[in-house]
Amino acid sequence: MLKIKSALISVFDKNGLEPIVKKLQDLNVKIYSTGGTEVYLKQLGVSVIKVEDITGYPSILGGRVKTLHPKVFGGILNRSGNKDDINDLENYSIPKIDLVIVDLYPFEKTLKSGESEQNIIEKIDIGGISLIRAAAKNFKDIVCISTKKDYSNFLKILNKNDGRTDLETRKKFATNAFNISSHYDTAIFNYFNNDNDVFKKSFKSGKQLRYGENPHQKGTFFGDFDEIFIQLNGKELSYNNLLDVDSAVNLMSEFVNNNPTFAILKHNNACGLASRNSLLEAYKDALAGDPISAFGGVLISNKEIDFQTAEEINKLFCEVVIAPGFEDSGLELLKSKKNRIILELKNYSLSDDHIRTCLNGILKQDKDNITDSKSTFKTCTFKSPTKSEIDDLVFASKICKHTKSNTIVLVKNLQLTGSGTGQTSRVDALKQAIEKSNNFKFDLNGSVMASDAFFPFPDCVKIAHEQGISSIIQPGGSIKDILSIEYCNQNNISMVLTGIRHFKH
């Protein structure tokens, strides 16, 4: 147990600091400080020694250099059991420091605010990061408090142990300090980095989940969930809930500016989706797409959920409901099921990167940000799609892009009527989509078909024709494209090529 007799305090954010410095004063701890922190402490009536009085140098270069001095770092880095270190402290009149409370300039916050490059650069901390690393390195002799999240715990320790700390506690605080410093450096590096051959990603903390994909697996979520959602009701989200929510939000991002649109997802794939003039109609038609799979699913809307729609939703057992807003009466009704997770989606930009583990490393790619539209279509058949078919083709392609490969998606009148997901054969994907459509009594005559990749043979086109499908969208690119095109021409089917494949694995 080491007694704290002296402390260096220099923080950008003064919130939460007062109870600690008052306690340190009660314990007769000698306090060194500089700049705004020194002024703040004096306003609290705390006795403070200026760092400049130790170093003999004022703050220079507009505050860029304040604590970078051997008399400061010598006081932090000296080893209590080392005779040479002790002699150096005496010979050079270096005061020993037992506690360092330092935070960092808000680099990430400044970056997000969109300020000028100069202001961003000025928020790259030099002295603070150096003090934190030095104090954390010397944890055997020094306590390093590098974030106000540690203030409460540290204050409890001060009160409980009369200003003393044990080695385990100091090492824990040092671990937190290196977490802070490494995260900070990663953020700065990523601001400067334009090299796709280098990858660094950092999260300061993670949320332990009940379990992973299965109960025997551990799971943790690293990220700021509250930056994207307001949770209005329900239990904590599971690993699988989070995957489904991610899929739902990415899918619905394709329909943000559309008429009222509702989607129902299960195991990361849409099992129902429809756009209508009212949200109630959109929900009913999305549910009709596959009412069996909808049980226990994740529901998402692109519009505020009103009471009438909430009444219909409440009849279904579902895990999660997501919307940009909820009518008060509708929200209260949905909250009647205490475990039902209700999420209000904020106006938030999703990541442009897609990252996953692979072998002993990771794979990183750009997110598939291309959405097929009428302007990108190239009609390759004698017959052109009608206006309503074009609307359905765009609609089907959006769903197809967010469905596990190999996939075929069938749509009619802006309603998902069937999809084949995650099949090893494109023919099997089509057969699965047709079977689903037939099971729920959809008439496929006049419907459209979307494929995430090209048709190497005309077999899918033939099967589609036999079911009455009248228009097809696919990327093209097969050396045998002409076979599918010729079949369409012979059977009065329109086909458009996009030139963009949408694999999703």
Side-chain angles (χ1 to χ4, degrees):
M1 299 288 287
L2 295 181
K3 176 80 171 178
I4 296 173
K5 299 177 181 179
S6 61
L8 172 63
I9 304 175
S10 180
V11 294
F12 183 87
D13 185 352
K14 315 298 189 291
N15 291 323
L17 186 62
E18 182 177 354
I20 291 177
V21 295
K22 289 291 182 68
K23 181 62 182 178
L24 293 174
Q25 187 178 42
D26 292 343
L27 293 169
N28 295 316
V29 173
K30 188 181 293 185
I31 296 176
Y32 303 96
S33 190
T34 186
T37 306
E38 176 204 338
V39 173
Y40 172 75
L41 295 180
K42 286 182 176 178
Q43 289 172 346
L44 294 177
V46 176
S47 178
V48 182
I49 300 172
K50 285 178 150 186
V51 168
E52 292 93 323
D53 292 342
I54 302 172
T55 64
Y57 278 87
S59 172
I60 61 173
L61 305 181
R64 281 189 165 196
V65 179
K66 290 181 284 192
T67 57
L68 295 168
H69 194 280
K71 283 198 172 183
V72 175
F73 282 86
I76 295 170
L77 285 166
N78 68 90
R79 293 156 290 187
S80 59
N82 187 296
K83 292 182 179 180
D84 290 337
D85 287 6
I86 295 171
N87 289 334
D88 283 341
L89 294 186
E90 293 177 357
N91 292 335
Y92 298 104
S93 301
I94 298 173
K96 182 170 172 51
I97 296 172
D98 306 309
L99 166 66
V100 170
I101 301 178
V102 174
D103 65 4
L104 300 171
Y105 291 155
F107 177 82
E108 288 180 284
K109 184 178 179 181
T110 305
L111 187 60
K112 287 181 179 179
S113 71
E115 291 195 28
S116 67
E117 181 181 65
Q118 185 56 42
N119 286 338
I120 292 170
I121 297 300
E122 288 304 319
K123 288 299 184 290
I124 297 176
D125 208 311
I126 303 301
I129 199 81
S130 302
L131 291 168
I132 287 173
R133 288 178 63 85
K137 174 180 178 176
N138 203 24
F139 68 89
K140 289 184 178 180
D141 292 302
I142 291 201
V143 183
C144 180
I145 304 298
S146 56
T147 169
K148 63 182 179 182
K149 289 182 179 179
D150 284 339
Y151 285 2
S152 176
N153 186 31
F154 180 56
L155 184 59
K156 289 177 184 177
I157 292 169
L158 289 177
N159 288 322
K160 180 182 177 181
N161 298 328
D162 195 30
R164 290 176 171 83
T165 62
D166 59 31
L167 181 61
E168 182 181 354
T169 297
R170 294 193 296 276
K171 191 170 185 178
K172 176 60 179 174
F173 283 134
T175 302
N176 294 347
F178 284 121
N179 181 23
I180 294 290
S181 65
S182 64
H183 178 82
Y184 194 77
D185 284 339
T186 297
I188 294 169
F189 170 78
N190 285 332
Y191 170 70
F192 284 96
N193 180 44
N194 292 312
D195 187 351
N196 287 326
D197 292 335
V198 181
F199 175 79
K200 295 181 187 293
K201 192 76 173 175
S202 173
F203 296 97
K204 283 187 284 190
S205 62
K207 181 176 178 57
Q208 293 293 320
L209 305 174
R210 295 195 301 275
Y211 51 81
E213 201 161 6
N214 299 293
H216 63 278
Q217 297 170 269
K218 292 181 180 179
T220 309
F221 172 69
F222 293 95
D224 189 353
F225 188 82
D226 294 336
E227 191 175 5
I228 307 175
F229 299 103
I230 301 173
Q231 182 164 352
L232 303 173
N233 190 67
K235 59 188 178 181
E236 289 189 359
L237 279 80
S238 69
Y239 183 98
N240 292 327
N241 287 153
L242 288 166
L243 287 176
D244 282 330
V245 167
D246 177 70
S247 296
V249 170
N250 278 283
L251 172 61
M252 193 53 71
S253 68
E254 304 281 356
F255 300 93
V256 169
N257 299 316
N258 286 45
N259 284 337
T261 301
F262 217 105
I264 304 172
L265 290 88
K266 197 73 171 287
H267 295 292
N268 312 153
N269 295 305
C271 59
L273 203 154
S275 289
R276 294 292 181 261
N277 291 324
S278 76
L279 193 61
L280 178 60
E281 291 177 292
Y283 170 71
K284 287 182 175 180
D285 285 347
L287 180 63
D290 188 345
I292 295 175
S293 295
F295 181 85
V298 170
L299 282 57
I300 186 167
S301 164
N302 70 340
K303 306 294 182 187
E304 180 182 86
I305 292 180
D306 53 42
F307 179 76
Q308 290 77 18
T309 306
E311 273 190 309
E312 289 299 313
I313 293 172
N314 204 44
K315 298 174 183 177
L316 174 72
F317 169 72
C318 58
E319 288 273 338
V320 185
V321 181
I322 309 167
F326 296 84
E327 195 175 275
D328 289 344
S329 55
L331 177 60
E332 289 307 308
L333 179 60
L334 292 173
K335 288 169 70 174
S336 63
K337 305 289 175 63
K338 67 177 184 179
N339 286 331
R340 178 185 283 149
I341 298 166
I342 302 175
L343 302 176
E344 181 178 324
L345 179 62
K346 298 179 182 179
N347 185 15
Y348 179 79
S349 298
L350 295 168
S351 173
D352 288 328
D353 295 329
H354 184 262
I355 302 163
R356 65 193 301 177
T357 59
C358 180
L359 300 175
N360 61 348
I362 64 162
L363 284 172
K364 176 179 176 289
Q365 65 173 350
D366 296 337
K367 186 178 175 182
D368 184 356
N369 282 324
I370 295 179
T371 299
D372 297 328
S373 64
K374 179 182 176 181
S375 63
T376 64
F377 290 176
K378 177 183 177 183
T379 302
C380 59
T381 51
F382 297 146
K383 182 182 180 183
S384 296
T386 65
K387 182 183 182 305
S388 63
E389 285 174 336
I390 289 173
D391 291 340
D392 279 348
L393 290 170
V394 172
F395 188 88
S397 178
K398 289 178 178 180
I399 301 171
C400 195
K401 170 183 167 182
H402 293 274
T403 305
K404 190 172 178 63
S405 299
N406 286 317
T407 184
I408 293 288
V409 168
L410 305 180
V411 164
K412 186 175 182 180
N413 299 326
L414 303 181
Q415 180 185 21
L416 174 62
T417 60
S419 61
T421 62
Q423 298 300 304
T424 53
S425 158
R426 199 159 301 283
V427 172
D428 286 343
L430 175 55
K431 289 179 177 178
Q432 183 188 48
I434 292 168
E435 182 180 4
K436 275 186 170 288
S437 297
N438 291 336
N439 286 345
F440 300 113
K441 310 302 181 185
F442 285 104
D443 178 8
L444 291 178
N445 284 296
S447 61
V448 307
M449 175 174 78
S451 174
D452 59 338
F454 63 63
F455 299 116
F457 305 102
D459 43 11
C460 284
V461 176
K462 290 179 182 178
I463 296 170
H465 174 242
E466 291 168 0
Q467 297 296 319
I469 291 167
S470 61
S471 192
I472 299 169
I473 181 171
Q474 58 127 332
S478 169
I479 59 173
K480 296 184 179 179
D481 274 346
I482 190 63
L483 298 180
S484 295
I485 294 170
E486 286 178 347
Y487 185 91
C488 288
N489 284 334
Q490 293 165 7
N491 293 278
N492 203 34
I493 300 171
S494 61
M495 178 186 284
V496 299
L497 305 180
T498 64
I500 301 295
R501 189 180 71 186
H502 291 295
F503 270 163
K504 183 173 184 284
H505 295 109

